[in-house]
Structures are given as C-alpha cells and as structure tokens.
C-alpha cells in the first residue's frame, strides 16, 4: 500500500500513453492495487461517516443513535448540537418541538430550527418548512414559499416533497399550475 501513489501515478501515465505498456501480469497487479486503494479509501470514508466525523462539517456531529433516551437529556443533547450549528441536531430539535417530546409543543420554535437546518441544505428540514409554511404552523401561511421549500427538497430527491410539489403544480398552489 505504501507504493500505491507511485503505482497510481504510473497507471495514469500509462493511460495517457506517456509510458510504454507494462507486461500483462504487471498491469493486472497494478490495476488490482489501484482498485484496492480506491475501495480502502471508500471504506475509510464510510467508517468515518458512521463514527460521526465529516471533514465537510464545521460542527461536531450529533447522531440520533447516540442521543439519550430520557426526553430531558435528549432535548439537552440536541440543543447543544443545534447551537453548535449541526444541521442534523437542528432538525432533531425542531422535530422535538413540533411533536412536543420532552418540551411543550411549540411550532414557532420548531420553525426556527427547521429553517436553520433547511438553510444548511437538509431535504427533510426543507420539506418540513414547506409543511409548516403551507399550514401556517409557527409561521404565516405563504403558499409560494411553501412550494419553494418543497422544490428544494424535491430536487434533493426527498419523496414526500416531490409528492407535495406535484400537488402544488396540480392545484396551482403557490406556483403556476402545470399539469
């Protein structure tokens, strides 16, 4: 594995036609080493993701699986993460407020945290912002804004948002009707 960068460099040079071809047995070994390196890097990425580490996040990761089962401690856990800027924790905190789990049900606070997570690009939070905005829970009713939230989540592949956006298009609700 230590010689993988050199092998990968040679493989790229071969692919570009800058070096004479290797004998078949060496090409096969080189291909296996390069493929093995790619698989190893992928597995490291999966392991890091499962461990809660992301090189792209600026805040610690607060996975749901690590949250305490006690409602009060669960609330504190997600509050800590939400205040630190973790989008997943913001989403979970919003859900707790929307459902009234471990805290009094409060759609206004839920909308604040859904919006924070939605602005960070979480499709589930974008969908939930659409629902709150469409129904006027914690925010004023704004069908155009609701359709916009559904569209963002739908473009990210969130199925419920795709459905709700289709309904908006069918009814011309907050968006120009387009069957």
């Amino acid at each position: 594995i230590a010689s993988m960068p050199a092998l990968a460099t040679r493989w790229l040079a071969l692919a570009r036609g800058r070096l004479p071809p290797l004998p078949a047995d060496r090409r096969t070994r080189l291909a296996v080493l390069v493929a093995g390196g790619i698989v190893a890097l992928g597995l490291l990425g999966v392991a890091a993701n499962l461990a809660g580490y992301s090189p792209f996040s600026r805040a610690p990761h607060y996975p749901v699986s690590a949250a305490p089962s006690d409602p009060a401690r669960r609330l504190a856990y997600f509050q800590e993460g939400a205040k630190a800027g973790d989008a997943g924790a913001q989403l979970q905190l919003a859900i707790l407020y929307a459902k009234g789990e471990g805290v009094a049900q409060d759609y206004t606070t839920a909308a604040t945290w859904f919006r924070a997570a939605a602005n960070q690009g979480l499709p589930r939070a974008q969908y939930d912002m659409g629902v709150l905005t469409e129904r006027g829970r914690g925010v004023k009713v704004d069908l155009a804004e609701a359709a916009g939230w559904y569209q963002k989540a739908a473009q990210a592949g969130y199925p419920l948002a795709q459905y709700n956006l289709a309904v908006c298009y069918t009814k011309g609700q907050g968006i120009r009707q387009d069957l």
Side-chain angles (χ1 to χ4, degrees):
I1 291 179
S3 62
M4 284 185 65
L7 292 173
T9 303
R10 176 147 175 90
W11 183 260
L12 290 172
L14 281 169
R16 294 182 182 131
R18 294 185 183 152
L19 293 175
L22 291 172
D25 65 324
R26 289 194 66 196
R27 276 196 312 265
T28 303
R29 279 191 310 180
L30 181 59
V32 168
L33 284 172
V34 170
I38 292 169
V39 169
L41 287 174
L43 290 175
L44 283 173
V46 169
N49 189 30
L50 291 174
Y53 172 78
S54 170
F56 305 108
S57 68
R58 292 179 299 269
H61 185 64
Y62 290 78
V64 176
S65 60
S69 58
D70 173 61
R73 291 181 48 224
R74 187 175 188 84
L75 178 69
Y77 173 80
F78 287 125
Q79 282 176 330
E80 177 186 319
K83 290 175 184 173
D86 184 86
Q90 291 168 344
L91 172 64
Q92 294 303 318
L93 184 59
I95 291 169
L96 293 178
Y97 275 102
K99 290 182 175 181
E101 292 180 7
V103 66
Q105 188 176 40
D106 181 352
Y107 285 115
T108 303
T109 304
T112 300
W113 290 114
F114 277 130
R115 186 179 307 278
N119 285 334
Q120 291 193 59
L122 281 186
R124 164 70 195 272
Q126 293 167 338
Y127 164 77
D128 285 324
M129 271 310 299
V131 171
L132 292 181
T133 306
E134 179 182 357
R135 297 179 184 168
R137 291 193 174 162
V139 295
K140 66 181 178 95
V141 173
D142 186 337
L143 299 180
E145 183 181 343
W149 284 118
Y150 291 145
Q151 190 160 23
K152 287 179 183 185
Q155 287 172 339
Y158 197 75
L160 293 173
Q162 293 169 341
Y163 174 80
N164 282 13
L165 182 61
V167 170
C168 289
Y169 275 118
T170 302
K171 294 180 176 181
Q173 184 175 305
I175 198 165
R176 184 181 53 80
Q177 186 177 25
D178 186 351
L179 299 177

